[in-house]
Amino acid sequence: MTAQQSSTAPVDPRPNGEDQFPAGAQVFVRDEVWLVRNSVRTEHDGAKVDVVGVSDFVRDQEAVFFTGLDTIELIDPRRTKLVRDESSNFRRSRLFLEAVLRKTALPQSERRLALADSFLLDSLPYQRRPAELALSGRNLRPRLLIADVVGLGKTLEIGLTLAELIRRGRGERILVVTPQHVLEQFQHELWTRFAIPLVRLDSVGIERIQREIPAGRNPFTYFKRVIVSIDTLKNTDQYKHHLERINWDAVVIDESHNLINRGSLRNQLAQILAPRTDALILASATPHNGDAKSFAELIGLLDPAAIRDPEHYRAEDIEHLFIRRTKISPEVREQMKGQWADRGPSQSVRCAATPAEEKIFEELAAVWLPGENGTSVSGVPLFPYTLLKSFLSSHAALKATVSARIKTLEKKDEPTATRAELAALRTLQELVEPLTEADSAKFAALVEQLKAIGVGPKSDARVVVFSERVQTLEWLRTVLPAALGFRGRAAEESTRVMHGGLSDEQQMQCVEDFGLADAPVRVLLTGDVASEGVNLHRQCHQLIHYDVPWSLIRIEQRNGRIDRYGQAHQPQFRALILTSEVEGAKDDTVVAERLLDREDQAHRALGTAEAVTGLYRAEAEEKSLIQDLLRGRTVDESLDAHRAEAEADAAMDDFLADFFGSVGDAGPGAENADPQNTEGKGAGTSAPGNAAVPRLFTSTAEFLDEALSEVFPDATTSLDLHRDIESGLLSFRPPTDLVHRLKALPLDYVREQRLRERLLVTFNRRLAEHSLKRARESSTSSWPEISLLTDLHPVVEWLTDKVLVRLGRQEALIITADVPEPTYLVQGVYSNALGRPTVVKWMGVTRGGTVEDDMVGLLRRSGVGPTMANPMRHSEPATALEAGIPGALAAAEQFLDRHRDAWDEPLRKPIDDYKARLGDWEQPTLAGERTKKSLASLADSLLTTGRPLMRVLAVLVPDPEAPARPPSTA
């Protein structure tokens, strides 16, 4: 695209008085020159500009300035000083131009993914689609609910989405909120896979930070990207105070179904965060409780105007805000062929009750759970089933339940009313008190099953054993190792217990140790705290339900800990089923065995068991089932009846039936879908191919190699740099300014790998993957010693900044190239009212006013590349070339202005569509009207505003000794 221009109108570097400071630009503040890293608007202090020092006194120092507090002078492009590039092959110019290309955020109009193929993960298009949906423009902001069922890789999908936001300048400040037991797991995945560092603010991390930062300082301003436990945030008024005073580029909330209950601390936290972030990513495999209104509230966090009637809406009303697939969804199934083994059957292991256990069954059947014509000794209808479930777990759990109930009744003011129940409890207490592991049929079966699997002192086999009861877990820890043949220290190390009573540090350590191949742990005894979000599949494909939860959802969540993306072996499931010969005994064949069978059927037919009952919550499923058992219903009758009731509910049918249908399943080839197609439920608009990202260098590896040679010509000495040409490994001692940047990396990783002393990095994905695998096979740490260099890696960002600051204040380079006349390389950026780029153009402008908006193509046609020679001669003085800068800038701006509307159309249309929907959204309350006005204002702020920011990057001049070429007339 070209245009002929002749105007020499002046160019204002700050259009319409707007504070625009693009990444890579230089500014003058407090008598020093700084390089802009990022700039965002604030509510009260103008633009917040993150910078790094360029001039000698502040070189490499990081700082933050606000236009409301400081005078920040953006260097006037008309006063650009041109300097000769005398480097070999014009390396200095090529590096500078590449660095500017890399530092410039992609415009909002670029919907395609730019980085998806550069990370340490398999290329699976279904995992790209959440990021594509977030960037599709179908929603006002990048906001979505990732509702894929357990095991599909939601953390990876989140990582891809965050990476793309970072590349667009919309991910500088990130907050990730997770359950406490998956903090390190989430942090580990985002760093090792994507090179996105998160500072972990767990209980230990918070104490450390309070010692490091000034008193009263907001820790969320001290660190730009953090991960914190939802339990930490929701229970601390201090952090609520801090969160109310900060805005984020992106907030991620994992296991977001916990946010639904209005008035809860988690819900209050979500209500604080949602309006204070641009991007919001919610993740949950079970993001609903079966109530249309509650689910609408969750969606309202993403877009308050998405649902007009919270009790009556359909899936297509919100398809732009969520995505959901199961393992049997066609696109997932096709893409995962050979990479994720189908799960094995849920095997029931029947255990005939011992004589001592049969006596307890008799007592329960006769006194506590009599048949149709009998009554229970307990005045609390559900308590007998609490006793039964405790007993079906273990005699240790039953002991604890009986003792707790006796203490409760003894404290009551009316002991007469509870005398019969107390007597019955003491009878049970006498029956259960003498029991040991020798009296437990389940324990004998567990030992037999573990030995059959191969668990023992001379085997690496691992198993995760689930139980609902902490007392069962603790009892098993004391008796199981010896029964398996472990002795001494090996007995202590072989078995680990994890439950909600442990601290976050203890829970994370359990998960990490179980995932390390060389760690001595062989059996992980865990409660259902591990049934959500925890990866237990790295070294394990065997799972045993010591007791079975009375919920299909909970069974599926447990199984999903080992049946998940990345599992190398067929997942195997066993459940210990205690059986009884006592007439009327409600043993495990009555409930547990039927639930196992129904979960297995639903998983194979539907890909999930969550919709079987229509209750959508584990707690609701269990409570409803017990109530139905009291009414005389069987398990199958209960499950079928509740599903029928749910299907008869019109509100449910409106959205949950669609939600559990083929929502988000665009099928194979969805990654190449028409970007204008909006028919697929939850599929987003997947633009074909990758984003058009201009690059001068063929790869980041090539850029880094030349940048090192330019910035550190004596790197072998100054950095103690070592290269392994065969493997691609780079090893060097980080200088002080890079060490300072490493504070953003996970502290455990920095300390364990001694990164302040030496860094090991590579572009070789196979080597990085091998290092990650080797770390998992370690007995000490899961952090790999070698990290993969991506565009987001701190080392790449550090070198890019080093290249940029080597050019002086308000300078651009002169390059001798194969051009017929001097051609100015100009960057033009339109932005919206929030300071985010909406249109970015890289132009070549001739002295005669011809404009071409393909700078990279122009450079290549002009012979600018690694093999070009620098003739060290020039056609005219720099001062003569500088005289042409104002005219070139004016021609470039007029070219941009003429095409602005056409470039703006893809961005403007979805905003206009949203405003139209917003206009139809009637709000009866004053608060609702304020929300409506706020959203309308936000929509307007996303449109391009003002004049473009212009910048001269370099000038191409002809070689005076080369044959003359006619000027371009295109």
Side-chain angles (χ1 to χ4, degrees), residues 31-34 53-61 805-806 808:
D31 296 323
E32 299 293 342
V33 181
W34 308 81
V54 174
S55 51
D56 291 338
F57 186 69
V58 295
R59 187 175 300 278
D60 296 326
Q61 291 186 27
V805 301
R806 289 177 69 79

Side-chain angles (χ1 to χ4, degrees), residues 9-30:
V11 177
D12 182 355
R14 298 205 333 202
N16 288 354
E18 298 283 351
D19 294 312
Q20 295 189 9
F21 305 99
Q26 293 188 7
V27 293
F28 194 62
V29 190
R30 300 185 185 181

Side-chain angles (χ1 to χ4, degrees), residues 150 343 389 393 464-469 473 526-534 536 542-564 571 573-576 596 599:
V150 292
R343 60 183 255 182
K389 290 197 68 186
S393 179
V464 56
V465 178
F466 271 97
S467 172
E468 290 187 308
R469 307 289 170 154
L473 297 171
T526 182
D528 286 321
V529 66
S531 67
E532 292 186 352
V534 178
L536 300 178
Q542 302 279 359
L543 184 149
I544 295 177
H545 299 278
Y546 194 81
D547 52 45
V548 178
W550 287 11
S551 160
L552 299 175
I553 291 174
R554 189 70 75 202
I555 294 171
E556 181 175 74
Q557 288 174 334
R558 284 185 178 185
N559 291 347
R561 297 313 99 211
I562 65 168
D563 181 19
R564 55 198 307 106
F573 309 104
R574 295 171 173 83
L576 305 183
L596 283 171
E599 186 276 338

Side-chain angles (χ1 to χ4, degrees), residues 32 148 282 469 481 488 570 593 609 713 833 882 925 951 958:
E32 299 293 342
D148 287 344
L282 306 179
R469 307 289 170 154
Q570 184 184 61
E593 198 166 50
E882 289 168 0
T925 66
R951 184 180 179 191

